[in-house]
Amino acid sequence: MGAWGIKTFENDDSSDWLYDLEESSDLSVIETALNEAASEYIEAPEGCNILAAAEVIAALQGKANLGFPDNAAEWVSKNKSLDSSHLNETAIKAIDKLLSDKSELKELWQESEDYSSWQKDVLGIKATLKVS
């Protein structure tokens, strides 16, 4: 059984995505994850990747969430010169779709007693991406 927790990086899909990110030195892995939201329906693994990408975008802008993994923080530190601000709106829209009825991840969490905690965490990620 794979890892599965409320926080973004507490599942195998996000952890696997993070390995791909570590092999890159640009925003392509992040952009690819966000582009998954363009599909008609977002499967759970892709949803996990979208959330991971959104958290990395926030971290690149100095807004890393509590519990941000060390290896992700190391990648952010090495790549802090990358400007990810143009991806904020795309990430926000992707999160909105994850919270809609077009998301397997939402459906799976709705079946759990932790749905409200997961939803609160996802909304927190979204809030870090809002430009004031």
Side-chain angles (χ1 to χ4, degrees):
M1 177 113 185
W4 197 264
I6 294 169
K7 299 290 184 187
T8 298
F9 293 98
E10 293 179 338
N11 66 73
D12 291 339
D13 294 316
S14 294
S15 295
D16 291 345
W17 178 86
L18 192 50
Y19 289 124
D20 291 339
L21 180 71
E22 289 177 284
E23 298 297 316
S24 72
S25 58
D26 60 18
L27 299 173
S28 62
V29 174
I30 295 168
E31 291 167 340
T32 298
L34 295 178
N35 287 338
E36 294 292 341
S39 63
E40 180 74 24
Y41 181 80
I42 303 172
E43 300 291 336
E46 287 75 18
C48 292
N49 296 346
I50 288 168
L51 291 175
E55 284 220 36
V56 171
I57 291 167
L60 281 167
Q61 297 168 24
K63 303 175 191 173
N65 283 328
L66 190 63
F68 194 65
D70 290 341
N71 51 342
E74 185 177 322
W75 185 89
V76 167
S77 178
K78 287 180 187 174
N79 295 283
K80 60 186 168 196
S81 64
L82 294 174
D83 180 10
S84 63
S85 60
H86 66 285
L87 296 174
N88 285 39
E89 192 61 36
T90 304
I92 288 168
K93 287 178 182 177
I95 290 171
D96 286 341
K97 190 163 182 182
L98 277 177
L99 293 170
S100 78
D101 293 334
K102 295 182 179 190
S103 166
E104 180 184 31
L105 195 57
K106 177 188 174 189
E107 290 174 10
L108 292 172
W109 279 109
Q110 281 181 313
E111 296 171 1
S112 121
E113 61 188 39
D114 295 320
Y115 174 67
S116 61
S117 296
W118 174 81
Q119 184 181 38
K120 181 179 177 185
D121 192 65
V122 172
L123 290 171
I125 297 166
K126 180 180 170 181
T128 64
L129 297 168
K130 293 209 176 205
V131 179
S132 40

